[in-house]
Amino acid sequence: MFGIYLKRELSRRKKVALVVALGLALGIALVITVNSVSAGMQKAQDKVLESLYGLGTDMTVTKARSAPGDNASGGPRFEFDAQSDEDEEQSSDRVMTQGGEALSASLVEKVGKQSGVANAVGALTLNVTKVDGSFTQGQAQSGSGQSQGEGGPGAGGTSTGQPQVQGGGASFDVNSYSVAGVDVTDQDLGPLAGSEITSGKTFTTAQSNAKVAVLSKSYAKENEYKVGETFKISGTKYTVIGIATPESSESTTDVYLPLKQAQTLGDAKNKVTTIYVKATDSQRIDAVKSAIQKNISGTTVTTSADLADTVSGSLSTASDLASSVGKWLSIAVLAAAFLVAGLLTSSAVSRRVREFGTLKALGWTSGRVTRQVVGEAVVSGLVGGVLGIAVGLAGAYTVTAISPTLEAELGATAGGMGGGPGGGMGGPAAQQSSNALEIALTAPVSATTIALAVGLAVTGGLIAGAFGGWRASRLRPADALRRVE
């Protein structure tokens, strides 16, 4: 009886039911779309942090580079022999540590012994500036407007100006790339942790001081290096044993070497620039950070949360809009939809005074009348929920299909730490103002979001039913008799 009457009444009042359903559908669709875009923003930010901070890394320990003294040189110097044979190729490499001030390698063990630290690994980041080219000797020619002997014999032509050197000069190419020294005994944490070896192999524990290298995919492709080939850094020849592909965004590291080899290249024996730290419990990261800062003075501890605060660019702007404006807009639209649904249902009950009064005269209780009104409202809400989910999924799919590109810039954190190699602070980007990455935005829809939409649909129906049910419960059979014409 309840179902039959419910179906008949909804069929009679299609317009009101449709308006209620569409209002709820609009609010629910907006909630799904905003939640999906917000989830995509969070996913994009996690992707940025994973690629720049490090897979499995909870925090890094570095030391801010001290201000240079008055007598410190401002930058790299290169010296070439200009008296060499013409067109002789000359080359020079300048290797410098990057990131922060070098730390003693013994601090890695000290950090590892702090309470709450599961593992600690040291790494050394270098920047290599390679300059190669040649000088070309110029040719001396007379400086007069008329060269010697011009006009033939007897013409009286003579050269009167000073000889001038024409042609010649220098042509040099400058190439800069980053190098990361990896602790080959523990590669699950550190620069290589965020990359996958897609060609060749990675380092073995026996290669702690071997002249071998792993190259990033982009660097190997740009320079046409393959596994088994060799290249030189400051006169030292290294054999390529593997090609690493970042698991997320592009890494800022071009070349990976065993830590001892990197220390030798950078003239930084027993030094590291970054200590990668993994906590025993993700809930204790702040406590571990405080313990390291307290027990190891002069260091800067940066967590992934600290790094997230430095992300700017269009990704940050869009994330702020989605999380603030979008969510508040969703709440406002939902509140308006609930209110409109309630008012329309209450208004519909007012127009059904004769009907409900007659039903009460026939023996319907107030509770039964209320349940009838609430049932109609809940069905309208569920229809609105289905429509809202469909529209919301379409909106999320559209965002994913378009995949707008957002730019994420990782600014320098305290102590001058920027995005590090393969995921860490203290890398080559530490000397730059920011490290920009482009991320394609997606809008994933989770089961939680769908469940939220269903819950909102039911809630909207119940709110509308509550308005109408309260009005219907106050009706008396006499009201129906008064309106009989």
Side-chain angles (χ1 to χ4, degrees):
M1 180 65 180
F2 175 80
I4 296 174
Y5 192 80
L6 180 66
K7 180 179 179 181
R8 185 176 68 84
E9 291 303 315
L10 287 175
S11 299
R12 286 178 54 196
R13 276 171 283 277
K14 290 181 180 178
K15 289 185 177 180
V16 174
L18 186 59
V19 170
V20 172
L22 289 178
L24 292 174
L26 177 61
I28 291 170
L30 188 59
V31 169
I32 292 176
T33 304
V34 169
N35 273 273
S36 300
V37 172
S38 295
M41 299 293 181
Q42 185 62 48
K43 186 177 179 181
Q45 189 177 71
D46 290 342
K47 193 174 183 180
V48 173
L49 298 180
E50 180 180 304
S51 64
L52 296 176
Y53 192 81
L55 189 64
T57 304
D58 290 322
M59 66 192 76
T60 56
V61 180
T62 54
K63 185 176 182 180
R65 189 178 294 274
S66 57
D70 295 336
N71 297 325
S73 59
R77 291 174 56 85
F78 298 90
E79 296 182 0
F80 297 98
D81 181 12
Q83 303 299 323
S84 60
D85 294 337
E86 182 177 353
D87 296 331
E88 179 182 350
E89 190 77 15
Q90 300 190 59
S91 178
S92 178
D93 290 344
R94 177 63 184 262
V95 182
M96 300 177 65
T97 59
Q98 292 291 294
E101 187 172 321
L103 301 167
S104 172
S106 61
L107 285 181
V108 178
E109 183 178 356
K110 188 174 181 180
V111 170
K113 292 180 179 180
Q114 299 299 309
S115 176
V117 174
N119 194 14
V121 172
L124 182 69
T125 307
L126 305 173
N127 181 258
V128 180
T129 303
K130 182 180 182 63
V131 179
D132 54 2
S134 62
F135 293 98
T136 301
Q137 186 175 0
Q139 300 294 325
Q141 299 199 8
S142 61
S144 68
Q146 190 178 44
S147 60
Q148 185 173 2
E150 185 176 352
T158 59
S159 63
T160 59
Q162 295 294 325
Q164 296 181 353
V165 177
Q166 297 184 0
S171 176
F172 285 85
D173 293 327
V174 179
N175 178 32
S176 181
Y177 58 94
S178 60
V179 177
V182 179
D183 186 346
V184 299
T185 63
D186 192 347
Q187 299 177 52
D188 293 333
L189 188 64
L192 260 178
S195 299
E196 178 185 0
I197 303 299
T198 52
S199 179
K201 58 185 179 180
T202 189
F203 305 109
T204 65
T205 54
Q207 294 174 322
S208 61
N209 198 23
K211 293 180 175 61
V212 292
V214 172
L215 306 182
S216 69
K217 181 181 178 180
S218 58
Y219 184 77
K221 182 178 180 180
E222 180 183 354
N223 294 276
E224 299 182 349
Y225 287 132
K226 296 182 180 179
V227 173
E229 295 183 347
T230 61
F231 67 99
K232 288 183 178 181
I233 305 178
S234 290
T236 302
K237 185 180 294 185
Y238 293 92
T239 301
V240 179
I241 63 170
I243 305 297
T245 302
E247 294 182 351
S248 52
S249 302
E250 285 298 316
S251 168
T252 58
T253 299
D254 299 311
V255 179
Y256 301 91
L257 299 177
L259 180 57
K260 289 185 178 180
Q261 279 295 316
Q263 290 170 336
T264 301
L265 271 179
D267 193 21
K269 185 177 181 181
N270 296 325
K271 297 288 185 180
V272 295
T273 51
T274 308
I275 301 175
Y276 296 82
V277 180
K278 184 174 181 60
T280 56
D281 185 353
S282 60
Q283 303 299 319
R284 298 188 58 192
I285 291 178
D286 290 337
V288 174
K289 175 181 177 178
S290 299
I292 295 175
Q293 289 178 324
K294 178 181 178 181
N295 299 326
I296 305 177
S297 61
T299 58
T300 300
V301 182
T302 309
T303 66
S304 54
D306 298 329
L307 193 60
D309 293 336
T310 70
V311 177
S312 60
S314 59
L315 172 60
S316 178
T317 303
S319 180
D320 291 341
L321 287 174
S323 60
S324 56
V325 177
K327 288 184 178 180
W328 281 112
L329 180 61
S330 300
I331 292 173
V333 172
L334 270 177
F338 288 167
L339 181 61
V340 169
L343 292 176
L344 286 175
T345 304
S346 179
S347 176
V349 169
S350 298
R351 293 192 297 270
R352 297 167 68 184
V353 171
R354 181 188 305 174
E355 174 189 342
F356 290 135
T358 303
L359 290 174
K360 283 192 173 185
L362 293 174
W364 279 41
T365 63
S366 295
R368 188 174 180 181
V369 173
T370 300
R371 286 194 298 272
Q372 182 68 37
V373 174
V374 171
E376 294 174 10
V378 169
V379 171
S380 297
L382 290 176
V383 172
V386 172
L387 292 175
I389 291 173
V391 175
L393 289 176
Y397 175 79
T398 302
V399 173
T400 302
I402 297 175
S403 295
T405 300
L406 299 178
E407 184 179 84
E409 295 180 0
L410 189 68
T413 61
M417 260 47 69
M425 278 71 66
Q431 301 301 313
Q432 303 171 4
S433 59
S434 64
N435 188 9
L437 291 173
E438 289 188 349
I439 303 292
L441 177 64
T442 59
V445 181
S446 64
T448 303
T449 302
I450 298 297
L452 175 63
V454 174
L456 289 173
V458 174
T459 301
L462 290 175
I463 291 175
F467 273 83
W470 172 79
R471 187 69 177 269
S473 66
R474 294 169 59 99
L475 296 176
R476 295 176 298 174
D479 295 326
L481 300 177
R482 292 194 193 101
R483 300 199 179 189
V484 175
E485 298 178 357

